[in-house]
Amino acid sequence: MNILRFLLVLLVLIVAFGGPAFASALEQHNDTHQQARYSELGDLLTVEQAKGRFAWLSKCYDGLLVELWEQMYESTTIVPKEEKLRQLKELWLSDAALAAGKAQYVTFANTDFTNPYQWYAGTSAEAACSLMPLEYEPVALKTTVLPRVYCDNRSYVHEWEWISEVTVDELTHQSEKHGYSQVSGKVLVLRANHASKVTIKPGHKDPEFPSYVAVRVWLDWDHNGQFEPSELVYRSASTGVFKFSLDIPAQVPEGLTLMRVATDAGGGSDNACTRVHYGEVEDYLVTIR
């Protein structure tokens, strides 16, 4: 495990939410890894889930936490394991941070910053221990940004149809086939009282004979953690690429919210929480200014 690499990505993901100019410079420094982080990490936890992540790691991977402590502090003094874990918990889950509705948590991925097995560490002490893929390691210390948990959704089958590319104004996200992805590391910035140009490109196993795919997009305008019927902002079906204008309200709450994109060759549902049959679901962080 390379602690310098870990700390570098830690810095990138922190400034991604609080220092646009610095984040832009880091993106230019290593665009390939930035794209991988944007595409694959997707591990958006609430404060309670972040606390549960630490408890789960303490139960299932306490040796890994000890190793992180030793590489971060490089101490030559003998410190008991329990004290190392206490110090890490205080660092990531301090009373002051929790009172402010924030917490930090470790996320894991492959050595190239991707998550090919879609493996995620647990988010509660009660969750069963699961085996981390051998090539995975801690790659970032992330800060909670969403106060609420959104309903789960993913496809039953994603081998034949999936979301290949989503573009919002000048920002494009390309991805491989997954049943579900939480896209993090970057935030879609939309302008209030403005129309953003959106393009959604489905992926097909046989591009010469594309499936007839339904696409739906929801955006949680009021930040209440639910995709209500009025927040279905786009609905269409086609064998081709979807292009539309997204009208942004003039007045919306400040802070980050979620946009959900779903494709389904099975027709899909207007309910953002209804399981997709043949396609993919992707969630994006959004802020409106």
Side-chain angles (χ1 to χ4, degrees), residues 47-48 50-51 89 92-104:
V47 169
E48 289 303 313
K51 292 162 64 177
K89 185 175 182 180
W92 299 342
L93 304 169
S94 68
D95 291 340
L98 295 179
K102 298 291 182 183
Q104 292 182 311

Side-chain angles (χ1 to χ4, degrees), residues 45 55 79 89 94 108 125-126 132 137 146 179-180 203 222 265 286:
L45 304 186
V79 179
K89 185 175 182 180
S94 68
F108 302 82
E126 291 73 31
M132 185 190 307
E137 63 183 50
L146 293 175
Y180 171 73
D222 59 8
V286 173

Side-chain angles (χ1 to χ4, degrees), residues 103-115:
Q104 292 182 311
Y105 58 96
V106 182
T107 193
F108 302 82
N110 207 348
T111 53
D112 61 357
F113 298 98
T114 63
N115 184 5

Side-chain angles (χ1 to χ4, degrees), residues 187-201:
V187 178
L188 297 175
V189 180
L190 306 180
R191 290 169 51 197
N193 200 26
H194 175 77
S196 288
K197 296 180 180 179
V198 181
T199 301
I200 300 171
K201 184 184 297 184

Side-chain angles (χ1 to χ4, degrees), residues 9 39 45 76 88 94 98-99 130 136 179 185 192 218 223 234 249 261 272 284:
V9 184
S39 303
L45 304 186
T76 57
L88 278 182
S94 68
L98 295 179
S130 60
Y136 278 31
W218 298 264
H223 299 210
Y234 181 72
V261 179
Y284 292 81

Side-chain angles (χ1 to χ4, degrees), residues 202-216:
H204 302 276
K205 189 170 185 177
D206 189 348
E208 293 186 4
F209 300 96
S211 303
Y212 190 75
V213 173
V215 166
R216 289 173 176 82

Side-chain angles (χ1 to χ4, degrees), residues 86-155:
R86 189 200 67 77
Q87 290 182 16
L88 278 182
K89 185 175 182 180
E90 173 60 26
L91 182 65
W92 299 342
L93 304 169
S94 68
D95 291 340
L98 295 179
K102 298 291 182 183
Q104 292 182 311
Y105 58 96
V106 182
T107 193
F108 302 82
N110 207 348
T111 53
D112 61 357
F113 298 98
T114 63
N115 184 5
Y117 301 114
Q118 294 287 284
W119 182 89
Y120 297 103
T123 55
S124 75
E126 291 73 31
C129 296
S130 60
L131 185 62
M132 185 190 307
L134 291 177
E135 64 269 37
Y136 278 31
E137 63 183 50
V139 293
L141 183 66
K142 301 176 73 173
T143 301
T144 58
V145 293
L146 293 175
R148 296 176 179 84
V149 179
Y150 286 81
C151 63
D152 291 331
N153 198 349
R154 64 184 62 246
S155 66

